[in-house]
Amino acid sequence: MKTNFNFLSILFLIIIMSNITFAQPTTIPFELSAQYNGQYDYKILGNTHNEFDNNSNPPPPCEMLTQSSAVLELENNQNIVLAYLYWSGVGNGLFDPEIQLNGETIFADIINVVDPQQFGSFFYYGSFKDITQLVQEDGSGTYIFSGLDLNPIIGADCSGGTQFSGWSIFVIYEDNTLPIQQVNVYNGFASVYGFGLNSSATIEVGSLNVVDTQDARMGFLAWNGSPNLFFNESISFNGNLLSNPPLNPVDNPFNGTNSYTGATDLWNMDLDFFDISNYIEEGDTSANITFTSGFNRYIQNVVTVIRSELPDATVELINFSGIADCDERDFTIETQVGNFNASDILPANTPISFFVLDENDEEVFLETFFTQAEIAIDESETQFFTISIPDEIPENTTLIAKVNTLADGSNPINESNILNNDFEQELFLPISPEPLTTQNLTQCANLSESFFNLEEALENAEDTEDEISFHLSQEDAEEGENPIENPADYNPTELIESLFVRRFDDNCFAVSEFEIESLIPPQINEPELFSECDFSEEQLGFTEFDLTSKIDEIT
């Protein structure tokens, strides 16, 4: 048991807590998590940490394993394209969040927690991690799952018989000897809680494409079943009861078995699959799976494998940098719609819708366009579309193209993989700054002696940290070329000059114009001595001068 977390463990714990979903009381909705169409199939492996059935007689020891292993066997021509790790048990998944797989430390991407309102105050959780890269590197061989110790939670009281933990790895692989088929994986966490009463959980699986019912299969991962304690238990597909006796009787499918290996001692855990070829029809796009039990059982994933021939629409923006010109809101975008990982033609008039994120990261619909012709398998079509971004969209946003998608998010064309329909491009929409406010400057001086501090022409320059430069022409200002080297001591070459000031915010610029004028002082002649005699009787040396009489002489 770990009693202390190091700093890294605490950091990861904070991160995964943001990905925990609690349900009150019983179900985390199932969603399509992966979809592959082509020559694909899957393998599943895993192991329980219960050494005995919880409901065996005499009662088993109140203790679970903390480590177990299972083997993945792949042929040389089977190439791994996806791998998911699941683990589950009593508690909320945070008591011991750090586990190891083949010695590598792993934290969950998602932890789903349910409260079945069963015995005591126990919660039950299902954790999920995408481990595709790890399994692609390790390949076939033994996988050792360790580091999960839930014994301190259950303590010494196992009287309720609902203590379990275990793990499973789900692998999708490509094999060129397989028929064309669709593999869908649905993740969630459902508690089938009855406590002696008949209770059920129904999971709707969508995005199916049934063109051939041959060899159709449905599998699932379930927890806390028992071969010894069961009541009103069943699994039905589209209302049809499923079984594959003697491994999984119709009235006790949650009995600790592994349909892939034939094991009957996978205590408190079930890895099972059933033939559903008689319970689907060509053209079906969805189905319902209902689990019932008089005791609490937990379903963590569902997988379907159905023969399929479908197009696979993808979209990509070509030669688009995602950086607009300043104040540009209209774009012509080169768009490529492909039909590459497909087994059928993509029909003409397939929609391509464009969206953009607003300041709250909510999608804003822009416009829908359509393909022009049928697109054959492994072919594509390129078109140019013009879109306009609303003014209220912020400078930094994301442009999203969605093929086979209408404005309401619906997908009108049945295709093999609706999870790869989107293409996102970060988009920067720079906006020009406000031009600086200027005033004209004048001073009295001859040109050779006239020097201006051009910064005095700016009324609000102190309000910005943008780069400011002065230029002799508007063209130089717009291009950011030939700035005046010493604007604080500028000597003009003409009496009246128009100058331009450039404001640049590292992305866009604005240009303002102002004038400077040098006023040449007037020419003044030196007048002759101006004198008047004092003709008064007192002869005191005072008289009156008419200075205006010298104006003509001076000027």
Side-chain angles (χ1 to χ4, degrees):
M1 168 184 171
K2 298 180 180 66
T3 57
N4 294 295
F5 290 117
N6 59 30
F7 175 77
L8 184 60
S9 297
I10 295 173
L11 177 62
F12 272 101
L13 180 59
I14 293 172
I15 293 172
I16 64 173
M17 285 185 69
S18 64
N19 294 318
I20 299 176
T21 303
F22 286 85
Q24 300 288 339
T26 58
T27 298
I28 307 298
F30 277 69
E31 295 182 353
L32 178 65
S33 298
Q35 184 180 70
Y36 284 82
N37 190 81
Q39 293 176 297
Y40 297 99
D41 209 332
Y42 76 94
K43 289 182 181 290
I44 193 165
L45 62 148
N47 212 334
T48 177
H49 282 182
N50 289 64
E51 295 187 89
F52 307 91
D53 175 35
N54 276 339
N55 299 286
S56 58
N57 190 13
C62 194
E63 185 176 5
M64 293 184 291
L65 299 174
T66 61
Q67 175 176 309
S68 61
S69 64
V71 177
L72 173 64
E73 296 181 353
L74 291 168
E75 304 295 332
N76 292 333
N77 64 322
Q78 295 175 342
N79 299 312
I80 298 167
V81 297
L82 176 140
Y84 288 162
L85 172 64
Y86 304 86
W87 65 99
S88 181
V90 62
N92 60 16
L94 296 179
F95 177 78
D96 204 4
E98 175 185 334
I99 61 94
Q100 286 79 43
L101 185 66
N102 285 356
E104 182 170 330
T105 298
I106 289 177
F107 290 84
D109 290 335
I110 297 173
I111 302 176
N112 291 323
V113 183
V114 297
D115 174 12
Q117 299 178 348
Q118 179 66 313
F119 303 101
S121 58
F122 285 150
F123 285 86
Y124 296 89
Y125 76 94
S127 291
F128 165 85
K129 178 72 175 182
D130 187 328
I131 57 167
T132 301
Q133 182 176 351
L134 185 153
V135 178
Q136 285 175 334
E137 293 174 354
D138 290 359
S140 295
T142 299
Y143 284 79
I144 301 174
F145 180 96
S146 60
L148 180 62
D149 184 1
L150 302 181
N151 289 303
I153 294 180
I154 63 176
D157 181 14
C158 292
S159 59
T162 58
Q163 294 74 35
F164 70 89
S165 67
W167 62 278
S168 174
I169 296 177
F170 175 87
V171 176
I172 295 181
Y173 63 89
E174 187 174 17
D175 182 342
N176 58 16
T177 66
L178 293 171
I180 301 297
Q181 52 193 18
Q182 182 187 71
V183 181
N184 287 357
V185 187
Y186 306 86
N187 287 339
F189 202 59
S191 170
V192 186
Y193 165 64
F195 194 26
L197 303 174
N198 191 21
S199 182
S200 66
T202 297
I203 298 170
E204 181 178 359
V205 292
S207 301
L208 301 177
N209 177 65
V210 182
V211 299
D212 187 343
T213 64
Q214 180 181 354
D215 296 330
R217 289 169 283 146
M218 184 278 293
F220 64 92
L221 166 61
W223 303 99
N224 203 44
S226 171
N228 299 309
L229 183 67
F230 55 95
F231 177 74
N232 278 344
E233 293 198 340
S234 67
I235 302 175
S236 59
F237 190 92
N238 284 340
N240 301 280
L241 291 173
L242 301 179
S243 65
N244 55 356
L247 201 63
N248 290 291
V250 68
D251 62 345
N252 186 16
F254 308 112
N255 57 354
T257 57
N258 186 335
S259 299
Y260 305 91
T261 65
T264 58
D265 57 354
L266 197 66
W267 308 120
N268 301 96
M269 175 180 178
D270 282 271
L271 290 173
D272 291 319
F273 69 90
F274 299 93
D275 186 306
I276 56 172
S277 57
N278 293 327
Y279 310 131
I280 57 173
E281 297 180 358
E282 293 183 9
D284 282 354
T285 59
S286 64
N288 288 319
I289 308 169
T290 300
F291 301 88
T292 68
S293 177
F295 298 95
N296 57 327
R297 313 302 189 214
Y298 304 92
I299 314 301
Q300 193 169 4
N301 75 13
V302 170
V303 57
T304 59
V305 180
I306 298 173
R307 295 284 178 92
S308 175
E309 291 184 5
L310 282 174
D312 181 27
T314 59
V315 65
E316 184 177 359
L317 304 184
I318 307 298
N319 300 320
F320 183 64
S321 67
I323 301 177
D325 293 332
C326 293
D327 306 313
E328 180 63 56
R329 292 273 164 163
D330 297 329
F331 302 93
T332 298
I333 299 177
E334 185 178 3
T335 306
Q336 182 187 78
V337 174
N339 187 32
F340 300 116
N341 185 26
S343 55
D344 202 358
I345 294 172
L346 183 66
N349 296 317
T350 298
I352 312 106
S353 295
F354 287 87
F355 301 79
V356 69
L357 298 184
D358 64 13
E359 60 183 5
N360 299 316
D361 288 334
E362 298 290 336
E363 290 186 0
V364 176
F365 170 71
L366 300 178
E367 195 165 352
T368 296
F369 304 92
F370 297 88
T371 59
Q372 299 299 300
E374 291 183 343
I375 301 177
I377 298 171
D378 292 330
E379 298 293 335
S380 63
E381 177 184 280
T382 300
Q383 291 190 72
F384 290 87
F385 302 125
T386 300
I387 61 172
S388 296
I389 308 296
D391 291 338
E392 62 269 20
I393 298 301
E395 284 185 327
N396 290 288
T397 183
T398 300
L399 180 65
I400 307 172
K402 298 185 178 185
V403 68
N404 188 25
T405 306
L406 296 173
D408 62 0
S410 61
N411 311 110
I413 295 172
N414 199 16
E415 60 167 319
S416 64
N417 186 2
I418 62 171
L419 300 180
N420 65 354
N421 288 358
D422 299 0
F423 183 90
E424 297 186 2
Q425 171 69 61
E426 296 299 317
L427 180 58
F428 181 48
L429 302 165
I431 300 173
S432 296
E434 290 293 327
L436 293 171
T437 302
T438 61
Q439 60 182 356
N440 295 331
L441 301 178
T442 61
Q443 63 173 271
C444 293
N446 293 318
L447 278 178
S448 60
E449 300 172 347
S450 180
F451 289 89
F452 288 86
N453 181 358
L454 302 183
E455 295 175 354
E456 294 178 353
L458 308 181
E459 296 184 354
N460 60 341
E462 68 278 1
D463 297 332
T464 178
E465 296 181 357
D466 296 340
E467 178 184 326
I468 297 174
S469 58
F470 296 87
H471 303 264
L472 297 177
S473 70
Q474 183 163 346
E475 181 180 358
D476 281 351
E478 291 176 352
E479 297 296 329
E481 297 177 348
N482 303 316
I484 294 174
E485 292 185 359
N486 188 7
D489 194 24
Y490 174 68
N491 180 215
T493 59
E494 298 180 7
L495 292 176
I496 300 177
E497 287 187 359
S498 292
L499 298 179
F500 302 86
V501 58
R502 183 179 198 262
R503 177 181 182 178
F504 181 60
D505 63 2
D506 292 332
N507 297 302
C508 301
F509 68 88
V511 174
S512 306
E513 183 180 3
F514 66 98
E515 287 187 350
I516 59 172
E517 182 177 5
S518 300
L519 303 175
I520 298 178
Q523 296 291 332
I524 299 177
N525 299 320
E526 185 176 349
E528 293 182 1
L529 180 64
F530 192 14
S531 63
E532 293 284 351
C533 292
D534 179 4
F535 293 109
S536 65
E537 294 180 359
E538 293 85 357
Q539 293 286 306
L540 297 176
F542 292 96
T543 188
E544 293 182 357
F545 291 87
D546 181 7
L547 299 181
T548 62
S549 65
K550 302 294 283 184
I551 290 176
D552 290 343
E553 181 184 354
I554 293 171
T555 61

